[in-house]
């Protein structure tokens, strides 16, 4: 595959394994030159060599821990200076478990990576896209954004932020040539659980997709013009029902009245 340099550069964070590594493979196959970003230099080196060999791709790497402000600033600077046409915000931290057993540093790590880094990189990428007149932002969220869980207060909260942040950006850029996609994975066979010392048995075996299935579905959704892609949802009706309920909920909160359930008897 000869690189199509008219596409501009595709930047993928969390690229050393799992979803990020599959995005690297698929986007290289589409002709994108790549900037792969991750903490693990050895894995980045191996992935870059594999993609170059397979597709004759132009691949550069940046070893960076996006929890660190200086590393995040280095990547933001690269995005602002280069001809970036696509950003896949895939890097993220898990951290499932009760908050009572988590350290403040562990909670800060989730917030830094899942919220602060996504916000900063989206902001600089969108500025770059405005300059070039087009571009594609892909933010990887989670279906857990819709599920409050005793073992995932900060993680699910952070993914709820990604959901609302990305959906709001979509509204902001709806009339532009800039594409913004929110990808909402369910359970994925990856290092997500093992990296936290957990078993995949937390979900039923048949609930899982592979990283390849997830990314291929996400790219198909992007090509079809979807703004929200939920690969493991077989039928779309639950999503459309949820969206309709959300709109109805917001309308109901604008009544200008206090709900009857809050009124003191005899004082209506």
């Amino acid at each position: 595959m000869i690189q199509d340099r008219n596409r501009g550069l595709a930047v993928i964070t969390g690229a050393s394994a799992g979803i990020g590594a599959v995005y690297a493979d698929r986007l290289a196959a589409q002709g994108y030159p790549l900037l792969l970003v991750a903490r693990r230099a050895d894995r980045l080196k191996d992935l870059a060599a594999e993609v170059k060999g397979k597709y004759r791709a132009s691949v550069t790497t940046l070893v960076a821990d996006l929890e660190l402000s200086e590393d995040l600033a280095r990547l933001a600077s690269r995005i602002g200076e280069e001809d970036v046409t696509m950003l896949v915000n895939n890097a993220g931290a898990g951290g499932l478990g009760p908050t009572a057993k988590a350290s403040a540093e562990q909670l800060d790590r989730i917030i830094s990576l899942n919220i602060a880094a996504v916000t900063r990189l989206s902001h600089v990428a969108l500025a770059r896209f405005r300059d070039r007149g087009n571009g594609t932002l892909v933010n990887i969220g989670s279906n857990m954004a819709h599920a409050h869980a005793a073992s995932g207060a900060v993680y699910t909260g952070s993914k709820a932020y990604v959901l609302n942040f990305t959906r709001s950006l979509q509204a902001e850029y709806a009339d532009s040539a800039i594409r913004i996609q929110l990808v909402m994975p369910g359970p994925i066979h990856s290092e997500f659980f093992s990296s936290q010392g957990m078993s995949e048995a937390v979900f039923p075996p048949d609930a899982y997709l592979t990283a390849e299935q997830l990314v291929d579905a996400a790219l198909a959704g992007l090509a079809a013009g979807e703004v929200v892609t939920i690969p493991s949802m077989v039928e779309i009706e639950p999503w459309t029902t949820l969206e309709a309920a959300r709109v109805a909920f917001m309308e109901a909160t604008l009544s200008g009245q206090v709900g009857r359930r809050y009124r003191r008897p005899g004082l209506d």
Side-chain angles (χ1 to χ4, degrees):
M1 172 66 69
I2 300 298
Q3 229 56 45
D4 180 1
R5 298 193 180 274
N6 291 327
R7 286 185 178 274
L9 188 68
V11 180
I12 305 168
T13 68
S16 61
I19 293 170
V22 178
Y23 263 109
D25 179 272
R26 302 307 195 253
L27 294 180
Q30 291 184 16
Y32 282 93
L34 303 177
L35 171 59
L36 305 180
V37 184
R39 291 179 295 114
R40 295 175 289 192
D42 54 341
R43 291 203 179 186
L44 270 184
K45 181 180 178 181
D46 291 344
L47 177 61
E50 177 183 341
V51 172
K52 287 178 182 178
K54 191 174 181 179
Y55 301 110
R56 289 187 287 168
S58 171
V59 183
T60 55
T61 62
L62 177 66
V63 178
D65 182 347
L66 299 181
E67 299 168 32
L68 304 177
S69 59
E70 57 269 29
D71 283 10
L72 179 59
R74 281 196 298 126
L75 176 55
S77 179
R78 287 282 295 270
I79 292 172
E81 294 170 356
E82 300 199 29
D83 185 27
V84 174
T85 189
M86 186 173 190
L87 169 64
V88 180
N89 262 325
N90 170 66
L96 297 179
T99 57
K101 294 184 178 180
S103 67
E105 291 74 20
Q106 287 172 317
L107 302 183
D108 285 345
R109 174 175 180 262
I110 298 171
I111 293 168
S112 295
L113 199 51
N114 293 4
I115 296 179
V118 169
T119 304
R120 175 77 176 276
L121 298 179
S122 295
H123 183 258
V124 70
L126 288 168
R128 195 71 191 90
F129 299 162
R130 291 195 302 272
D131 289 342
R132 78 187 319 270
N134 59 72
T136 301
L137 171 65
V138 178
N139 284 342
I140 307 297
S142 170
N143 290 336
M144 291 298 289
H146 300 288
H148 54 273
S151 62
V154 179
Y155 176 73
T156 62
S158 71
K159 289 302 183 178
Y161 174 87
V162 175
L163 167 66
N164 282 292
F165 173 68
T166 308
R167 295 291 278 148
S168 296
L169 290 177
Q170 289 168 347
E172 183 178 345
Y173 286 87
D175 297 326
S176 76
I178 296 172
R179 297 283 312 282
I180 302 175
Q181 182 194 30
L182 173 66
V183 179
M184 299 287 279
I188 302 296
H189 288 301
S190 68
E191 298 177 359
F192 179 84
F193 295 103
S194 61
S195 66
Q196 302 174 64
M198 298 177 64
S199 167
E200 289 190 351
V202 66
F203 290 107
D206 58 0
Y208 285 81
L209 297 182
T210 65
E212 289 79 7
Q213 287 175 307
L214 183 283
V215 174
D216 288 341
L219 290 172
L222 182 65
E226 284 188 349
V227 294
V228 179
T229 299
I230 310 169
S232 59
M233 181 175 288
V234 176
E235 303 295 339
I236 198 61
E237 283 74 15
W239 171 250
T240 56
T241 299
L242 180 63
E243 279 288 273
R246 180 186 60 80
V247 172
F249 167 79
M250 290 306 300
E251 290 176 349
T253 64
L254 301 176
S255 69
Q257 304 176 50
V258 174
R260 291 184 180 277
R261 64 196 173 281
Y262 302 123
R263 298 176 188 171
R264 293 171 60 186
L267 297 181
D268 289 354

